[in-house]
Amino acid sequence: YQIVLGDHQFIESFLYSVTMGVITVFVSILIFMPTTYWIYLKLPKLRPLVEIITILPFIIPVIVYVFGLIRTYSRPPFLLTLSPLGTDFLIAGGYVVLSMPYMFRAIDVGMRAIDVRTLTEASQSLGGNWFQTLVNVILPNLRVALLSGSLITFATVIGELILADFLFRPAFGPYMTSIGTTKAYEPAALTIMSFALTWVCLGIIQLISRGDTSQQLTGR
């Protein structure tokens, strides 16, 4: 553990993946929460189509996806792969696409558990606009769903290998693969640390969901 934690490549790769994970979670919430809300409120017939679109990362192999990104964004007019910053933007977008099934379904389950139309009408009757309704009314009721989707998305980014490897960025997934081919005991330490991080995330979800249930029972 001391060798792993003292390795500058470990620190660099872990911080890079954590940063990309936070960005991916933030962008995913900004995209899928308003989209899912609008589908439930105004366009329920589009829900099957959106479900099919969000499941595409399970159907299309990541290797095909990453080669498509490289072929598209390594030539004019985009040229994102020629600079580290442009590649980071490209990877963040790729992570958002790869996490679509998890984030959309987490928000979808949360939306299904509440009466979106009634809450919206009540908010508008009190003078709230669409943005205020979404932030002050819908968002608090989706706290557990958003946390679940965020943690799954974050774990996906932390463990992703192919996208970061082929785009040559110092992510945590390629680091774990490279150290597994050259070291004997360090990969086991990384595996245990990964399991510990997963259990911590599950514990956070359990605590927050329990607190949310307690508040609902107290309110009743």
Side-chain angles (χ1 to χ4, degrees):
Y1 291 103
Q2 292 179 350
I3 294 175
V4 170
L5 294 176
D7 188 1
H8 73 280
Q9 290 185 355
F10 166 78
I11 298 174
E12 180 185 3
S13 63
F14 186 74
L15 290 179
Y16 179 83
S17 292
V18 167
T19 303
M20 298 305 295
V22 172
I23 294 173
T24 302
V25 167
F26 182 73
V27 174
S28 297
I29 292 176
L30 287 181
I31 292 175
F32 294 113
M33 183 181 168
T35 301
T36 309
Y37 171 67
W38 196 253
I39 287 174
Y40 268 83
L41 192 64
K42 295 292 185 179
L43 302 170
K45 294 183 179 180
L46 288 182
R47 186 167 173 270
L49 177 61
V50 176
E51 286 186 344
I52 294 175
I53 294 174
T54 56
I55 208 173
L56 288 178
F58 289 154
I59 302 173
I60 302 174
V62 181
I63 189 67
V64 175
Y65 178 47
V66 70
F67 274 112
L69 291 177
I70 294 173
R71 184 175 179 84
T72 303
Y73 294 98
S74 61
R75 57 186 180 181
F78 302 107
L79 299 176
L80 293 179
T81 59
L82 299 184
S83 65
L85 182 60
T87 306
D88 290 339
F89 278 110
L90 190 60
I91 287 183
Y95 286 156
V96 171
V97 173
L98 293 180
S99 63
M100 279 196 312
Y102 313 111
M103 183 61 75
F104 172 76
R105 273 155 185 77
I107 297 176
D108 181 59
V109 171
M111 289 281 185
R112 197 179 304 174
I114 62 177
D115 192 344
V116 175
R117 189 175 298 276
T118 300
L119 290 175
T120 301
E121 292 175 353
S123 175
Q124 290 179 344
S125 67
L126 295 174
N129 55 36
W130 293 108
F131 180 77
Q132 292 173 335
T133 301
L134 187 62
V135 174
N136 299 325
V137 179
I138 303 300
L139 180 61
N141 286 280
L142 295 178
R143 182 178 58 180
V144 177
L146 290 174
L147 179 64
S148 302
S150 299
L151 291 177
I152 296 174
T153 299
F154 185 79
T156 302
V157 173
I158 291 294
E160 202 282 326
L161 169 64
I162 299 176
L163 194 63
D165 191 21
F166 278 84
L167 290 174
F168 303 104
R169 298 306 294 149
F172 190 61
Y175 170 77
M176 291 184 65
T177 302
S178 64
I179 200 174
T181 59
T182 58
K183 305 291 184 179
Y185 302 105
E186 287 80 355
L190 286 173
T191 302
I192 295 174
M193 292 167 63
S194 300
F195 275 116
L197 181 62
T198 302
W199 281 105
V200 168
C201 293
L202 292 175
I204 293 173
I205 295 175
Q206 183 66 25
L207 288 175
I208 293 182
S209 61
R210 182 181 300 176
D212 187 70
T213 304
S214 301
Q215 291 179 359
Q216 290 179 359
L217 293 176
T218 303
R220 291 177 183 176

